[in-house]
Amino acid sequence: MKRVLIVDDDVVIRLTFKKLFDDGEFIVHQAKNVKEAIDALTNNLFDLLLLDLRMPPTGLNAGFQILQRKRKIPLNAGTPVLIISGMFKKDDIHGKIDLEDNIAGILEKPIENEKLEKEVQKIFGG
């Protein structure tokens, strides 16, 4: 089974994504903020991180804080990241994402379930 961490401050999005991937092929973990995400990444090995960049209280910096910290967590430093975020411009992320972040894709919210499923399957080679 593949282990997925969903990081988003919106409980509806987390539950929707969890339901989408909770099919026996995935073990789904959730985090609603930077602290929970870092704790999960430190203590569990993941095959994929679904990451919202913009979360309170720091807005867009929250996602970048998670990416920076993830680089230094040996357990998940190489884990692929699928960014799923709304209301950002390419200029917002230019220079803030590093090759070490292992960004597998960037999807803008709102995202259709089918598109997300296809992107995840592509990441896993399916």
Short mmCIF file of all heavy atoms in Angstrom, two decimals, residues 17-45:
data_model
loop_
_atom_site.label_atom_id
_atom_site.label_comp_id
_atom_site.label_asym_id
_atom_site.label_seq_id
_atom_site.Cartn_x
_atom_site.Cartn_y
_atom_site.Cartn_z
N PHE A 17 -10.29 14.40 -0.35
CA PHE A 17 -9.12 13.69 -0.87
C PHE A 17 -8.96 12.35 -0.17
O PHE A 17 -8.61 11.36 -0.80
CB PHE A 17 -7.86 14.52 -0.71
CG PHE A 17 -7.77 15.72 -1.63
CD1 PHE A 17 -6.73 16.61 -1.50
CD2 PHE A 17 -8.71 15.95 -2.61
CE1 PHE A 17 -6.61 17.72 -2.33
CE2 PHE A 17 -8.62 17.05 -3.45
CZ PHE A 17 -7.55 17.93 -3.31
N LYS A 18 -9.19 12.31 1.14
CA LYS A 18 -9.07 11.06 1.89
C LYS A 18 -10.05 10.03 1.33
O LYS A 18 -9.69 8.89 1.07
CB LYS A 18 -9.31 11.28 3.37
CG LYS A 18 -9.18 9.99 4.19
CD LYS A 18 -9.32 10.26 5.66
CE LYS A 18 -9.27 9.09 6.57
NZ LYS A 18 -8.88 7.82 6.12
N LYS A 19 -11.29 10.46 1.12
CA LYS A 19 -12.30 9.55 0.60
C LYS A 19 -11.93 9.07 -0.81
O LYS A 19 -12.12 7.91 -1.16
CB LYS A 19 -13.66 10.25 0.57
CG LYS A 19 -14.79 9.36 0.14
CD LYS A 19 -16.12 10.08 0.22
CE LYS A 19 -17.25 9.18 -0.24
NZ LYS A 19 -18.53 9.86 -0.26
N LEU A 20 -11.37 9.96 -1.60
CA LEU A 20 -10.97 9.64 -2.96
C LEU A 20 -9.89 8.55 -2.98
O LEU A 20 -9.92 7.66 -3.83
CB LEU A 20 -10.45 10.91 -3.66
CG LEU A 20 -10.07 10.80 -5.12
CD1 LEU A 20 -11.28 10.49 -5.98
CD2 LEU A 20 -9.42 12.10 -5.58
N PHE A 21 -8.96 8.61 -2.03
CA PHE A 21 -7.83 7.68 -2.03
C PHE A 21 -7.97 6.55 -1.02
O PHE A 21 -7.12 5.68 -0.95
CB PHE A 21 -6.52 8.42 -1.79
CG PHE A 21 -6.17 9.34 -2.91
CD1 PHE A 21 -6.27 10.71 -2.76
CD2 PHE A 21 -5.78 8.83 -4.13
CE1 PHE A 21 -5.96 11.56 -3.80
CE2 PHE A 21 -5.47 9.67 -5.18
CZ PHE A 21 -5.57 11.04 -5.02
N ASP A 22 -9.02 6.56 -0.25
CA ASP A 22 -9.20 5.54 0.78
C ASP A 22 -9.90 4.32 0.17
O ASP A 22 -11.04 4.01 0.48
CB ASP A 22 -10.03 6.11 1.93
CG ASP A 22 -9.85 5.34 3.21
OD1 ASP A 22 -8.98 4.45 3.25
OD2 ASP A 22 -10.58 5.63 4.17
N ASP A 23 -9.16 3.63 -0.71
CA ASP A 23 -9.76 2.54 -1.47
C ASP A 23 -9.03 1.21 -1.28
O ASP A 23 -9.21 0.28 -2.05
CB ASP A 23 -9.79 2.89 -2.95
CG ASP A 23 -8.40 3.12 -3.52
OD1 ASP A 23 -7.41 3.00 -2.77
OD2 ASP A 23 -8.30 3.42 -4.72
N GLY A 24 -8.18 1.13 -0.27
CA GLY A 24 -7.42 -0.08 -0.05
C GLY A 24 -6.05 -0.07 -0.69
O GLY A 24 -5.19 -0.84 -0.32
N GLU A 25 -5.84 0.83 -1.65
CA GLU A 25 -4.53 0.95 -2.30
C GLU A 25 -3.65 1.96 -1.57
O GLU A 25 -2.43 1.91 -1.67
CB GLU A 25 -4.71 1.40 -3.76
CG GLU A 25 -3.42 1.44 -4.53
CD GLU A 25 -3.62 1.88 -5.98
OE1 GLU A 25 -4.76 1.88 -6.47
OE2 GLU A 25 -2.62 2.23 -6.61
N PHE A 26 -4.27 2.85 -0.81
CA PHE A 26 -3.55 3.91 -0.12
C PHE A 26 -3.86 3.91 1.37
O PHE A 26 -4.97 3.60 1.78
CB PHE A 26 -3.96 5.29 -0.68
CG PHE A 26 -3.62 5.48 -2.12
CD1 PHE A 26 -4.56 5.21 -3.11
CD2 PHE A 26 -2.38 5.93 -2.51
CE1 PHE A 26 -4.28 5.38 -4.45
CE2 PHE A 26 -2.08 6.11 -3.86
CZ PHE A 26 -3.02 5.84 -4.82
N ILE A 27 -2.85 4.29 2.14
CA ILE A 27 -3.05 4.63 3.55
C ILE A 27 -2.93 6.15 3.59
O ILE A 27 -1.89 6.71 3.19
CB ILE A 27 -1.99 3.98 4.45
CG1 ILE A 27 -2.12 2.46 4.38
CG2 ILE A 27 -2.12 4.48 5.88
CD1 ILE A 27 -1.00 1.72 5.08
N VAL A 28 -3.97 6.82 4.04
CA VAL A 28 -4.03 8.27 3.98
C VAL A 28 -3.88 8.87 5.37
O VAL A 28 -4.57 8.50 6.30
CB VAL A 28 -5.38 8.73 3.35
CG1 VAL A 28 -5.45 10.25 3.30
CG2 VAL A 28 -5.55 8.13 1.96
N HIS A 29 -2.94 9.82 5.47
CA HIS A 29 -2.75 10.61 6.68
C HIS A 29 -3.11 12.05 6.34
O HIS A 29 -3.02 12.46 5.18
CB HIS A 29 -1.29 10.56 7.14
CG HIS A 29 -0.86 9.21 7.60
ND1 HIS A 29 -0.70 8.90 8.92
CD2 HIS A 29 -0.57 8.08 6.92
CE1 HIS A 29 -0.31 7.64 9.04
NE2 HIS A 29 -0.23 7.12 7.82
N GLN A 30 -3.48 12.83 7.35
CA GLN A 30 -3.87 14.21 7.13
C GLN A 30 -3.14 15.13 8.10
O GLN A 30 -2.84 14.73 9.22
CB GLN A 30 -5.36 14.39 7.37
CG GLN A 30 -6.25 13.55 6.50
CD GLN A 30 -7.70 13.74 6.87
OE1 GLN A 30 -8.18 14.86 6.95
NE2 GLN A 30 -8.39 12.64 7.10
N ALA A 31 -2.89 16.36 7.64
CA ALA A 31 -2.34 17.41 8.49
C ALA A 31 -3.01 18.72 8.09
O ALA A 31 -3.22 18.97 6.91
CB ALA A 31 -0.83 17.51 8.32
N LYS A 32 -3.33 19.53 9.11
CA LYS A 32 -4.05 20.78 8.81
C LYS A 32 -3.18 22.03 8.93
O LYS A 32 -3.65 23.13 8.65
CB LYS A 32 -5.26 20.91 9.74
CG LYS A 32 -4.90 21.07 11.19
CD LYS A 32 -6.13 21.17 12.06
CE LYS A 32 -5.71 21.22 13.51
NZ LYS A 32 -6.69 20.68 14.40
N ASN A 33 -1.91 21.86 9.33
CA ASN A 33 -1.04 23.02 9.48
C ASN A 33 0.43 22.58 9.39
O ASN A 33 0.73 21.40 9.26
CB ASN A 33 -1.32 23.76 10.80
CG ASN A 33 -1.20 22.86 12.01
OD1 ASN A 33 -0.29 22.02 12.10
ND2 ASN A 33 -2.12 23.02 12.96
N VAL A 34 1.33 23.56 9.49
CA VAL A 34 2.75 23.28 9.35
C VAL A 34 3.23 22.31 10.42
O VAL A 34 3.93 21.34 10.12
CB VAL A 34 3.57 24.60 9.41
CG1 VAL A 34 5.06 24.32 9.43
CG2 VAL A 34 3.21 25.51 8.24
N LYS A 35 2.86 22.54 11.67
CA LYS A 35 3.33 21.68 12.76
C LYS A 35 2.90 20.22 12.55
O LYS A 35 3.72 19.31 12.67
CB LYS A 35 2.81 22.18 14.10
CG LYS A 35 3.31 21.33 15.27
CD LYS A 35 2.68 21.72 16.58
CE LYS A 35 3.14 20.89 17.75
NZ LYS A 35 3.47 19.51 17.54
N GLU A 36 1.63 20.00 12.25
CA GLU A 36 1.15 18.63 12.03
C GLU A 36 1.85 17.98 10.83
O GLU A 36 2.17 16.79 10.87
CB GLU A 36 -0.36 18.61 11.82
CG GLU A 36 -1.14 18.85 13.09
CD GLU A 36 -2.64 18.73 12.88
OE1 GLU A 36 -3.10 18.30 11.79
OE2 GLU A 36 -3.38 19.07 13.83
N ALA A 37 2.10 18.76 9.79
CA ALA A 37 2.77 18.23 8.60
C ALA A 37 4.20 17.80 8.94
O ALA A 37 4.64 16.71 8.56
CB ALA A 37 2.77 19.26 7.48
N ILE A 38 4.93 18.66 9.65
CA ILE A 38 6.32 18.35 10.02
C ILE A 38 6.37 17.14 10.94
O ILE A 38 7.22 16.26 10.79
CB ILE A 38 7.01 19.57 10.66
CG1 ILE A 38 7.07 20.74 9.66
CG2 ILE A 38 8.41 19.21 11.16
CD1 ILE A 38 7.70 20.44 8.34
N ASP A 39 5.45 17.07 11.90
CA ASP A 39 5.39 15.91 12.80
C ASP A 39 5.16 14.63 12.01
O ASP A 39 5.81 13.61 12.24
CB ASP A 39 4.29 16.08 13.84
CG ASP A 39 4.62 17.11 14.91
OD1 ASP A 39 5.80 17.55 14.98
OD2 ASP A 39 3.70 17.51 15.65
N ALA A 40 4.21 14.67 11.08
CA ALA A 40 3.90 13.48 10.27
C ALA A 40 5.10 13.09 9.41
O ALA A 40 5.44 11.90 9.33
CB ALA A 40 2.67 13.74 9.40
N LEU A 41 5.74 14.06 8.78
CA LEU A 41 6.89 13.77 7.92
C LEU A 41 8.08 13.25 8.71
O LEU A 41 8.88 12.46 8.20
CB LEU A 41 7.29 15.02 7.14
CG LEU A 41 6.32 15.46 6.04
CD1 LEU A 41 6.62 16.87 5.58
CD2 LEU A 41 6.35 14.48 4.87
N THR A 42 8.20 13.67 9.95
CA THR A 42 9.31 13.24 10.80
C THR A 42 9.11 11.81 11.29
O THR A 42 10.08 11.06 11.45
CB THR A 42 9.45 14.19 12.01
OG1 THR A 42 9.68 15.52 11.51
CG2 THR A 42 10.61 13.79 12.91
N ASN A 43 7.87 11.42 11.51
CA ASN A 43 7.58 10.14 12.16
C ASN A 43 7.04 9.03 11.26
O ASN A 43 6.85 7.91 11.72
CB ASN A 43 6.59 10.37 13.31
CG ASN A 43 7.20 11.25 14.37
OD1 ASN A 43 8.27 10.96 14.89
ND2 ASN A 43 6.53 12.35 14.68
N ASN A 44 6.76 9.33 9.98
CA ASN A 44 6.17 8.34 9.07
C ASN A 44 6.82 8.46 7.70
O ASN A 44 7.12 9.55 7.24
CB ASN A 44 4.67 8.59 8.90
CG ASN A 44 3.92 8.58 10.20
OD1 ASN A 44 3.62 7.53 10.73
ND2 ASN A 44 3.63 9.75 10.74
N LEU A 45 6.98 7.34 7.03
CA LEU A 45 7.48 7.34 5.67
C LEU A 45 6.28 7.46 4.72
O LEU A 45 5.31 6.72 4.86
CB LEU A 45 8.23 6.04 5.38
CG LEU A 45 8.74 5.85 3.96
CD1 LEU A 45 9.75 6.94 3.60
CD2 LEU A 45 9.36 4.47 3.80
#
